[in-house]
Amino acid sequence: MIVMRPYQDKAVSDLYSAATYLLQKTGNKVIVFKAPTGSGKTIMMAEFLRKLVSDNATDSILSFIWAAPRQLHIQSQEKLQRYYYENKILKCSSFEDLVDKDIGENEALFLNWESINKKDNIYIRENENDFNLSSVLQNTRDQGRQVTLIIDESHFSTNTEIASGLKDMINPKLTIEVSATPVFRGDQLDQLVSVDRED
């Protein structure tokens, strides 16, 4: 069991308040979570997601996509699997694990952001099995689930035209951009949650 530090507890609480508020609003919403390197962003996000799905204050059925640059999505997936090992409250999956061609309730699909940022990627292009990200997302929505997109280290990859198109295709109800040095795009920010370096 990981004991959270006071600043981590506060960030989790702030993320939870922002998310539950925004998930009840119309339209797609964006939270930027700014926390310094070494502050435990992944653990704070893991605890926030645990609280979000266990409390279910929004009465929404939630599914998640966790995207990260380089190979960070694998590290994050492994860290969250360890975090949820005992309570199994959130299922952590790779694309190949989606046996029903959708993202289940309280399931997080981990993806490499750069790979899905390419139009000819196997997860994006159409195929004879109708097993690509677009069909998975449609199947997920057909089951009545809301998609939340988490972009880890968002400063690397979210400020491009391709990234904007990809976010449009995913069409998440809520996007959480996680970074120590986020790129702010004025009209595309609904809430900012931050951890002070001093804390």
Side-chain angles (χ1 to χ4, degrees):
M1 177 71 181
I2 294 175
V3 178
M4 304 287 279
R5 295 176 177 164
Y7 75 84
Q8 293 174 321
D9 276 331
K10 182 180 184 313
V12 168
S13 178
D14 291 349
L15 280 167
Y16 178 80
S17 296
T20 54
Y21 173 75
L22 293 174
L23 282 167
Q24 296 178 71
K25 299 294 180 184
T26 57
N28 299 1
K29 304 298 181 186
V30 177
I31 297 172
V32 171
F33 178 37
K34 179 183 178 187
T37 301
S39 61
K41 290 188 290 292
T42 304
I43 293 302
M44 288 185 274
M45 285 299 298
E47 179 58 19
F48 154 69
L49 292 175
R50 184 205 63 76
K51 185 172 174 57
L52 187 65
V53 299
S54 62
D55 290 1
N56 198 8
T58 64
D59 293 326
S60 302
I61 303 172
L62 301 172
S63 298
F64 304 90
I65 293 178
W66 183 298
R70 300 184 300 276
Q71 296 302 307
L72 290 176
H73 67 294
I74 296 170
Q75 293 175 24
S76 297
Q77 182 177 359
E78 290 171 351
K79 194 176 278 189
L80 266 68
Q81 282 172 326
R82 286 192 302 273
Y83 194 81
Y84 301 126
Y85 179 75
E86 288 184 19
N87 61 29
K88 307 278 193 254
I89 197 157
L90 194 84
K91 181 179 179 184
C92 302
S93 301
S94 301
F95 200 82
E96 295 74 19
D97 299 327
L98 303 178
V99 290
D100 293 328
K101 297 183 181 178
D102 66 354
I103 307 169
E105 180 177 358
N106 301 338
E107 181 174 18
L109 169 62
F110 287 78
L111 294 170
N112 172 274
W113 182 257
E114 287 115 342
S115 71
I116 61 172
N117 231 341
K118 298 174 184 168
K119 291 183 178 179
D120 62 346
N121 180 269
I122 59 170
Y123 301 131
I124 300 298
R125 67 177 179 238
E126 292 186 17
N127 56 57
E128 62 278 359
N129 297 324
D130 198 29
F131 188 35
N132 56 45
L133 187 56
S134 180
S135 63
V136 163
L137 287 163
Q138 187 58 54
N139 294 340
T140 301
R141 289 190 186 88
D142 287 349
Q143 296 296 321
R145 300 183 197 115
Q146 288 186 344
V147 176
T148 294
L149 172 63
I150 298 151
I151 306 175
D152 198 3
E153 302 294 346
S154 61
H155 57 280
F156 279 111
S157 50
T158 58
N159 206 20
T160 68
E161 192 173 314
I162 294 173
S164 180
L166 183 58
K167 284 188 276 187
D168 288 345
M169 189 265 286
I170 294 172
N171 192 25
K173 173 69 178 165
L174 179 64
T175 299
I176 303 173
E177 297 186 11
V178 182
S179 176
T181 55
V183 176
F184 292 100
R185 296 176 306 282
D187 62 333
Q188 298 177 333
L189 169 65
D190 295 291
Q191 294 274 342
L192 171 65
V193 174
S194 62
V195 172
D196 289 336
R197 184 175 297 280
E198 184 180 339
D199 295 336

